Amino acid sequence: MQEDKQRASLHQDISQQLGSSNSNTTTVDCSINLCSRLLLMMSIGEPPLGIDGPNTIRWTTGTLRDFTSAHFSLGPGVRLQPDKPQIGRIFTALNLRKIGGMRIEWTQNLADHLRLVDDKTVLIFDCVAFLRFQNNCVASPQQHLFPASFVDETLRTLALLLPQNDTKTQAWIKSQIRKYALDPLLAECGSLATHERRFENFKYWNNRLVILKQALDEARPQTLSQWWFDRRNGVQWYTFWVAILVFLVTTFFGLVQSIEGGLQVYLSWKTT
C-alpha cells in the first residue's frame, strides 16, 4: 500500500499469493480494508463481521494516498467562512461541554475527528501517539499516507481544543484519560499562540472548526451550571445572578416572617 499501488493491483497480487483455491473477492477485499484501517485508523470498508458504522468510508479505486487526499482535501468553493478570523481562548473542548452543553465523545476513527453529531455530540480523535508516529516514522514527505501537513494540522486542532497551558482543561482531560483509558499524550498536546489560533491556519479541518465555533457562539445557557460558566456576556451574567440572589434573599426573609407570624399566633393561642 505504501508503494502507491492501485487497489485493483493489490487485489490481484493478494489473489495470486493466496492461490485460486483459497482466494475469493470478498476475502481479498476484507483483507485490504483491514490493512488500510490499521494503517490509517479510519473506518474503511464494511467489516466482515459485526455492524457497519454510520460513517464508514468506501475505498474502491486508486491508491491509498489518492484516497486520503480526496477524502480530506477541500474542493474549490466549499471552504466555510467564519464570522471572525480569530479563534478565542474560550474555544476549548471543556467549554464546548460546559458552556455549549455538548457531549464530548472520543473516537479512534480519524475521519470522524471534530464531527458534530445532531448538534449535541462532538467527536474528537484521541490517538495522539498515532499522529506523532506518522510524523516521525516517515523519512520523506513522499512516503506519507496522508496529505502534506495534514497530520501536523490535526495535532494543532488537539492543541487548540486541549490547551496544555489551561489548568482547568488539563484537570478535566486527565480525568477523562483515567475514566476512559485514553492516550495519555492527550494531556501533552501543547498550546497555540494567538497568531496560530486563526481559521486561515487550518486547511483540512477548517469547515468542522467553523461549525463547532458557530455552535458554541449560538449556544444559550439552559441550566444553572451553564449560566455559571457562560461569562461571555458579563452584564447578562451579573444581572442573572443578582436576580437569583435577590430572589433567594426575598424568599428567605419571607419564610422567616411566615415562621415568626406562625409562632406569634401559636403563642397567643396558648396563653389564652
Side-chain angles (χ1 to χ4, degrees):
M1 291 184 180
Q2 290 183 323
E3 296 177 357
D4 272 346
K5 282 192 174 183
Q6 300 285 326
R7 183 180 176 102
S9 178
L10 287 171
H11 193 287
Q12 184 179 3
D13 291 345
I14 296 174
S15 298
Q16 291 176 353
Q17 292 178 7
L18 293 176
S20 58
S21 59
N22 297 323
S23 66
N24 58 67
T25 301
T26 303
T27 301
V28 174
D29 282 336
C30 289
S31 299
I32 295 175
N33 289 337
L34 175 60
C35 291
S36 61
R37 281 173 175 244
L38 295 174
L39 279 173
L40 301 178
M41 293 200 72
M42 294 171 60
S43 182
I44 300 175
E46 298 181 6
L49 300 174
I51 301 175
D52 190 17
N55 300 320
T56 298
I57 310 166
R58 302 291 186 268
W59 173 37
T60 55
T61 60
T63 67
L64 196 58
R65 288 189 181 87
D66 293 338
F67 163 76
T68 56
S69 296
H71 181 78
F72 290 111
S73 297
L74 294 175
V78 296
R79 183 180 177 89
L80 298 180
Q81 298 299 322
D83 295 332
K84 297 179 180 179
Q86 187 70 35
I87 305 175
R89 295 187 182 277
I90 195 174
F91 187 70
T92 65
L94 181 59
N95 286 331
L96 288 174
R97 184 180 71 88
K98 294 197 304 184
I99 298 176
M102 306 175 199
R103 186 168 68 92
I104 304 299
E105 185 173 306
W106 306 101
T107 179
Q108 286 76 48
N109 182 7
L110 183 56
D112 281 343
H113 182 52
L114 302 182
R115 188 187 297 275
L116 181 61
V117 182
D118 297 330
D119 294 336
K120 297 179 181 179
T121 303
V122 182
L123 304 179
I124 299 179
F125 186 71
D126 67 281
C127 301
V128 179
F130 168 79
L131 296 172
R132 292 185 179 178
F133 177 79
Q134 291 293 324
N135 259 354
N136 299 329
C137 73
V138 181
S140 63
Q142 290 74 20
Q143 295 178 317
H144 276 291
L145 291 174
F146 294 99
S149 72
F150 170 80
V151 174
D152 180 66
E153 181 176 315
T154 305
L155 286 168
R156 285 190 285 113
T157 62
L158 292 174
L160 177 69
L161 293 174
L162 307 170
Q164 198 169 343
N165 60 359
D166 188 328
T167 55
K168 293 182 179 179
T169 297
Q170 280 295 292
W172 172 73
I173 190 58
K174 289 177 180 177
S175 68
Q176 292 285 293
I177 291 172
R178 291 191 297 269
K179 183 177 181 179
Y180 298 107
L182 303 175
D183 186 349
L185 293 178
L186 275 174
E188 303 175 13
C189 293
S191 306
L192 297 185
T194 302
H195 70 276
E196 295 175 309
R197 286 185 284 103
R198 297 181 64 86
F199 285 103
E200 63 192 34
N201 295 329
F202 297 92
K203 173 183 176 183
Y204 301 103
W205 298 111
N206 172 81
N207 285 7
R208 293 189 182 181
L209 287 173
V210 170
I211 291 172
L212 285 179
K213 184 63 167 58
Q214 183 177 2
L216 179 62
D217 291 342
E218 294 177 353
R220 294 295 177 264
Q222 302 293 327
T223 63
L224 283 177
S225 63
Q226 289 180 7
W227 273 105
W228 177 256
F229 291 115
D230 188 359
R231 306 186 184 187
R232 292 172 292 181
N233 189 329
V235 175
Q236 184 183 39
W237 186 85
Y238 281 109
T239 302
F240 175 81
W241 287 107
V242 167
I244 291 292
L245 180 61
V246 170
F247 171 77
L248 292 176
V249 171
T250 303
T251 302
F252 173 76
F253 283 110
L255 181 62
V256 170
Q257 290 178 350
S258 298
I259 295 174
E260 183 181 5
L263 287 174
Q264 289 177 351
V265 172
Y266 172 75
L267 292 175
S268 298
W269 172 80
K270 188 175 182 180
T271 54
T272 58

